[in-house]
Amino acid sequence: ANGKTASEARFRSYDYLNRTSRSFAAVIKELDEELMDPVCLFYVILRGLDTVEDDMTLPLDLKVAQLRSFHEDIYKEGWTFTKSGPNEKDRDLLVHFNYVIEHFLSINPVYQTVIADITRRMGYGMAEFCTRRVATVEDYNLYCHYVAGLVGVGLSKLFAASKLEGEVFSQMDDLSNSMGLFLQKTNIIRDFLEDHLEGRLFWPREIWSEYCNDPEELCADQNLDKALACLNHMCMNALEHIPDAIEYMSRIRNQSVFNFCAIPQVMAISTITLVFNNPEVFKRNVKIRKGLACKLIMEAQNVDVVRAIFLEFLNEMARKNNNARDPNYVRISTLIAQVRWRL
Ligand SMILES: COc1cccc([C@H]2O[C@H](CC(=O)N[C@@H](CC(=O)O)C(=O)O)C(=O)N(CC(C)(C)C)c3ccc(Cl)cc32)c1OC
């Protein structure tokens, strides 16, 4: 490809990044030059895979085959995917995926291999969950590993390959996985109503079946006590990943990598504190205020400050744990204390 189309391909990758997530696009642009393109491509390629997984209009066999072949399709110049349903949010990305591929083929093959390997493992994992539900907490952790934990694993390998972080990051799968699980579980809790209205459910049966016979019941006003108890149980499950996330961030040496990793984590602790014991979760999509988000972005500069931010939100969550009718009241208070001491 001549210089013009190569720079056009690069421009389009960033254009898709900006369109899929404006706020996170700003965070990626904070990254050191060496990592910005590989991470931007990783993000956009994962969005492509996510668009296939999310498309409920695709026949199951076609969806499964496409999820499993995506890691090979990203090497095919000119390849595009035009079978997405007309209303799919990022349909346009797949229709013009040839530009992403052109950009992908222009970066260091070491980064290509990391991205392709994670894309393969994630695609197979998503395909596995096309034909099975998230029933147990173990299923829940496995599903979140596939769609989010692997992103953390892949990013750690990109950090190591770039030499901006030590080689030790290429073998930091457990801590990297926890970085993904904390973000993904927070999103799954926050997005309960939005997902429910689209006929999607990620909350594991092993948890919600303690509080209702069908998740639909959690939306009914007269079941608010049960719904809040279930919500708080889900939050407790997510809090368990916080010590690993803090440990991961304590090992980062490069400032731009730290900012890139810390900002989503402080957003997540703020979000999970907001949704904890909050009836609004079953009424509308609860989001932290823009002003608070900006404050957190400015503050999250090193692991000591990030640890202090987490402790402050854990105190807030302990204060909100005031529901005497919540059967988990004591468990929550004990867990918050345990997480605090481990930070
Ligand atoms: C070491 O690991 C990470 C370090 C930094 C950032 C992320 C992680 O943060 C964003 C942050 C982001 O995208 N935030 C959204 C907010 C929102 O989703 O509501 C945004 O700012 O729009 C996020 O959410 N996900 C999506 C997954 C959670 C599925 C991985 C994500 C998707 C692709 C990439 Cl390359 C990275 C991330 C990491 O991934 C674990």
Side-chain angles (χ1 to χ4, degrees), residues 203 211 217-220 223-232 282:
W203 291 22
Y211 307 95
E217 295 169 26
L218 298 177
C219 303
N223 299 331
L224 181 59
D225 280 348
K226 294 278 187 201
L228 289 176
C230 186
L231 166 65
N232 296 343
F282 301 101

Side-chain angles (χ1 to χ4, degrees), residues 17-300:
L17 172 69
N18 292 327
R19 277 198 266 164
T20 46
S21 167
R22 221 177 42 264
S23 55
F24 191 53
V27 177
I28 289 187
K29 287 169 190 161
E30 288 216 3
L31 275 172
D32 186 289
E33 191 71 20
E34 176 60 24
L35 270 171
M36 199 161 25
D37 279 13
V39 171
C40 168
L41 274 166
F42 192 33
Y43 185 95
V44 171
I45 286 168
L46 294 175
R47 288 303 300 212
L49 194 59
D50 203 47
T51 302
V52 175
E53 189 209 21
D54 273 357
D55 189 340
M56 311 301 246
T57 68
L58 286 176
L60 186 63
D61 54 343
L62 174 75
K63 180 189 280 201
V64 165
Q66 186 51 66
L67 288 170
R68 289 180 175 157
S69 70
F70 207 82
H71 69 104
E72 294 159 337
D73 296 331
I74 60 176
Y75 283 97
K76 294 173 184 167
E77 281 195 81
W79 184 84
T80 63
F81 185 76
T82 56
K83 300 185 180 74
S84 297
N87 305 323
E88 289 311 305
K89 198 162 66 78
D90 291 320
R91 178 183 192 289
D92 194 48
L93 167 63
L94 289 171
V95 168
H96 299 100
F97 214 68
N98 54 302
Y99 288 104
V100 175
I101 293 168
E102 194 168 337
H103 186 195
F104 173 75
L105 293 174
S106 75
I107 65 172
N108 182 327
V110 172
Y111 297 138
Q112 290 176 9
T113 305
V114 170
I115 292 170
D117 178 53
I118 296 297
T119 301
R120 175 179 56 77
R121 292 158 69 183
M122 188 183 292
Y124 273 76
M126 287 173 163
E128 183 187 328
F129 276 93
C130 282
T131 53
R132 64 180 275 202
R133 285 173 188 279
V134 174
T136 63
V137 170
E138 193 181 341
D139 292 339
Y140 180 51
N141 288 331
L142 180 60
Y143 176 74
C144 289
H145 164 70
Y146 285 141
V147 299
L150 284 176
V151 178
V153 170
L155 283 166
S156 297
K157 291 179 188 299
L158 293 177
F159 299 159
S162 73
K163 307 293 180 204
L164 287 167
E165 293 300 334
E167 189 50 35
V168 66
F169 267 77
S170 64
Q171 308 292 329
M172 211 183 277
D173 290 11
D174 287 348
L175 295 181
S176 304
N177 188 60
S178 291
M179 289 286 279
L181 263 58
F182 185 56
L183 297 186
Q184 181 67 8
K185 289 185 173 182
T186 299
N187 287 344
I188 283 176
I189 296 167
R190 176 196 67 192
D191 296 343
F192 171 78
L193 184 65
E194 183 181 305
D195 290 329
H196 176 69
L197 295 175
E198 287 173 8
R200 270 200 281 263
L201 173 72
F202 298 104
W203 291 22
R205 167 186 288 274
E206 185 181 337
I207 289 183
W208 59 256
S209 62
E210 286 185 38
Y211 307 95
C212 62
N213 298 317
D214 184 292
E216 173 73 37
E217 295 169 26
L218 298 177
C219 303
D221 287 351
Q222 69 268 23
N223 299 331
L224 181 59
D225 280 348
K226 294 278 187 201
L228 289 176
C230 186
L231 166 65
N232 296 343
H233 192 151
M234 289 291 290
C235 289
M236 269 196 301
N237 171 276
L239 293 185
E240 288 166 20
H241 302 293
I242 288 177
D244 272 2
I246 297 293
E247 175 57 26
Y248 180 95
M249 288 185 278
S250 73
R251 299 185 184 185
I252 297 173
R253 293 292 166 266
N254 178 280
Q255 185 63 50
S256 79
V257 170
F258 183 85
N259 296 345
F260 172 69
C261 293
I263 287 169
Q265 298 295 323
V266 295
M267 297 295 172
I269 185 64
S270 174
T271 298
I272 203 162
T273 304
L274 179 63
V275 299
F276 177 76
N277 210 26
N278 185 345
E280 288 300 292
V281 167
F282 301 101
K283 302 252 181 317
R284 61 183 175 85
N285 198 299
V286 178
K287 291 205 101 169
I288 59 176
R289 288 188 341 276
K290 204 77 188 149
L292 174 58
C294 293
K295 178 170 171 286
L296 292 169
I297 290 173
M298 248 92 80
E299 285 179 355

Side-chain angles (χ1 to χ4, degrees), residues 232 276-277 317-326 329:
N232 296 343
F276 177 76
N277 210 26
M317 210 178 290
R319 284 194 293 273
K320 288 183 72 176
N321 181 34
N322 60 9
N323 187 345
R325 290 191 300 278
D326 184 337
Y329 174 79

